[in-house]
């Protein structure tokens, strides 16, 4: 039995934005599109639930602090511009509240993306995704490092629009007390 006979045929060729738009929400769950190719992005297991807890705590704090202008959620696609198609599923997305019914979510809807680094996503979260988010014009990027048995460290980045690249912002260990993109406080030291 070959890999081709196990995986659906569409996983072996680039897809277009139009094709992806025709898929149901259920078909899009748990995948990302990278350079037009479907990449399975499995959910964390209960054993690795710290990742999900960090994302949920950050999303809840960012959502509460965002007021009526900004929503923060987990686990949905952000459609990045370009051909081939790139559609990422950040751990946390802060987006304009007035775009809640617009699909797909586009970079101009998004203020901040947060990625919680896990062993299976280190290179992607530290290098590939920040470059793609910056190129798409997303103003802020946060990367959360979570070494076993240690307090999470949150690296914040601000977009340098002229360079289409992020420059380092504040660094938080445990207690996040950020002023940008808007004031928010969340204590991650208890995880």
């Amino acid at each position: 039995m070959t890999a081709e006979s196990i995986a659906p045929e569409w996983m072996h060729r680039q897809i277009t934005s139009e094709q992806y738009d025709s898929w149901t929400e259920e078909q899009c769950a748990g995948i990302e599109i990278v350079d037009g190719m479907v990449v399975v992005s499995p959910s964390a297991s209960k054993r690795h639930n710290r990742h999900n807890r960090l994302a949920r705590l950050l999303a809840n704090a960012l959502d509460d602090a965002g007021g009526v202008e900004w929503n923060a959620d987990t686990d949905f696609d952000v459609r990045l511009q370009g051909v081939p198609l790139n559609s990422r599923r950040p751990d946390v997305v802060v987006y304009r509240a007035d775009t809640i019914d617009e699909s797909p979510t586009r970079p101009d809807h998004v203020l901040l993306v947060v990625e919680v680094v896990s062993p299976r996503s280190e290179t992607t979260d530290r290098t590939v995704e920040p470059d793609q988010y910056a190129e798409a014009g997303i103003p802020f990027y946060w990367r959360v490092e979570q070494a076993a048995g240690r307090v999470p460290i949150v690296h914040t980045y601000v977009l340098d629009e002229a360079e289409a690249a992020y420059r380092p912002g504040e660094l938080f260990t445990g207690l996040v007390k950020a002023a940008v993109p808007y004031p928010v406080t969340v204590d991650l030291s208890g995880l």
Side-chain angles (χ1 to χ4, degrees):
M1 186 177 301
T2 66
E4 288 79 16
S5 64
I6 296 170
E9 185 269 329
W10 52 262
M11 289 185 76
H12 300 284
R13 60 180 161 74
Q14 284 187 325
I15 64 166
T16 66
S17 195
E18 293 78 20
Q19 289 170 315
Y20 190 60
D21 286 344
S22 73
W23 293 0
T24 66
E25 193 171 311
E26 291 77 25
Q27 288 173 303
C28 296
I31 65 169
E32 291 183 320
I33 308 299
V34 179
D35 295 332
M37 301 299 291
V38 174
V39 176
V40 177
S41 182
S43 298
S45 66
K46 284 198 306 190
R47 179 176 211 132
H48 298 97
N49 197 24
R50 185 172 192 228
H51 177 278
N52 291 346
R53 291 186 66 220
L54 278 167
R56 193 173 59 248
L57 282 171
L58 284 165
N60 290 344
L62 287 160
D63 194 55
D64 289 345
V68 297
E69 282 187 71
W70 301 103
N71 291 342
D73 283 309
T74 61
D75 198 35
F76 69 90
D77 293 335
V78 174
R79 185 76 53 90
L80 305 175
Q81 280 92 340
V83 175
L85 175 64
N86 284 294
S87 188
R88 291 292 186 173
R89 191 174 277 274
D91 293 314
V92 179
V93 179
V94 175
Y95 60 95
R96 288 192 346 252
D98 65 350
T99 66
I100 194 165
D101 293 323
E102 292 184 37
S103 184
T105 300
R106 304 261 183 214
D108 61 327
H109 302 166
V110 178
L111 178 65
L112 164 70
V113 292
V114 180
E115 293 289 358
V116 179
V117 177
S118 60
R120 68 174 188 263
S121 69
E122 290 170 344
T123 301
T124 301
D125 291 341
R126 292 179 184 146
T127 308
V128 176
E129 288 175 333
D131 287 348
Q132 289 180 336
Y133 297 144
E135 189 175 306
I138 296 172
F140 298 94
Y141 176 74
W142 291 5
R143 187 184 80 238
V144 182
E145 298 284 345
Q146 52 162 349
R150 298 188 131 165
V151 175
I153 299 171
V154 179
H155 301 260
T156 69
Y157 298 88
V158 179
L159 181 64
D160 178 336
E161 290 183 39
E163 298 292 323
Y166 289 113
R167 60 178 168 76
E170 294 182 276
L171 179 71
F172 301 99
T173 303
L175 179 65
V176 176
K177 200 166 187 169
V180 293
Y182 49 76
V184 62
T185 301
V186 59
D187 189 358
L188 304 176
S189 60
L191 291 176

